[in-house]
Amino acid sequence: MTTAESTPLHQRPTDDKQLRFAGACIENSNLRDLVLAAVRQIDPRQLIPVAAPGTGVAYESPVLLGLLTYCYASAVFSSREIEARLRKDRTLILLCGHELPDWHLIRRFRRHNRDLIQHCLEVTLYRANAASGARASVSPEGNDPMPSAARSSDAVDRGLCGEDASERIRWAINLDHMFLDE
């Protein structure tokens, strides 16, 4: 199989053994705002840059942090799929200022900044769940339930959001390793 062929690996896993919270995709119009709020809490000096200064807005560490947090919260895990989405997803195009970091840069950024990505993803998942209402069964818009690791704002649910964030990052790493093995 070549990397140009479509594979089911690009999709969110459906096997509960592969990803603890397999259905934990945030379908929320406020996701962009939640991610931006989480990223703004991070001191940019904590981020390890992976591109030369002045390369472009899409290569700046806070932008890459937001990009990966947004994609992982949206259940887009593969670095190659993220690169492909940069060409067609309006939110990502605007986030990256019409520049296209490649999948190599995305992987390198994740490798050097995993803990901060996990923190932002955990905060995003937690806030998305808190916004959906404690133990709510439907989304605020009255649509289908917002699947997620946790539904209330107590300490136990924070732990579940942390586990969920960790699993999403592990899934991204595993997908990237599978593509490299092809």
Side-chain angles (χ1 to χ4, degrees), residues 47-145:
L47 293 163
I48 298 170
V50 294
T55 309
V57 69
Y59 304 95
E60 294 176 10
S61 295
V63 173
L64 290 168
L65 178 61
L67 171 66
L68 289 177
T69 303
Y70 181 86
C71 287
Y72 294 164
S74 301
V76 178
F77 301 109
S78 161
S79 295
R80 290 182 188 202
E81 180 67 18
I82 293 170
E83 178 185 6
R85 293 265 174 128
L86 283 169
R87 291 182 175 86
K88 59 186 175 185
D89 185 308
R90 184 175 174 190
T91 301
L92 298 180
I93 290 168
L94 292 173
L95 173 71
C96 293
H98 299 278
E99 297 170 346
L100 301 172
D102 68 5
W103 66 274
H104 297 284
L105 184 88
I106 293 167
R107 284 185 73 235
R108 192 167 49 249
F109 182 80
R110 183 191 60 225
R111 183 173 39 245
H112 293 295
N113 295 284
R114 180 180 177 166
D115 291 340
L116 292 172
I117 296 167
Q118 168 142 355
H119 174 76
C120 285
L121 184 55
E122 183 178 334
V123 167
T124 300
L125 295 172
Y126 175 75
R127 288 181 178 167
N129 290 306
S132 71
R135 308 284 178 212
S137 59
V138 295
S139 67
E141 296 82 20
N143 300 328
D144 295 332

Side-chain angles (χ1 to χ4, degrees), residues 19-21 118 121-122 125 149 156-170:
L19 182 64
R20 182 176 179 147
F21 304 107
Q118 168 142 355
L121 184 55
E122 183 178 334
L125 295 172
V156 174
D157 291 336
R158 281 185 187 263
L160 289 175
C161 289
E163 290 175 25
D164 190 351
S166 180
E167 287 298 316
R168 289 169 189 250
I169 294 170
R170 271 188 244 142

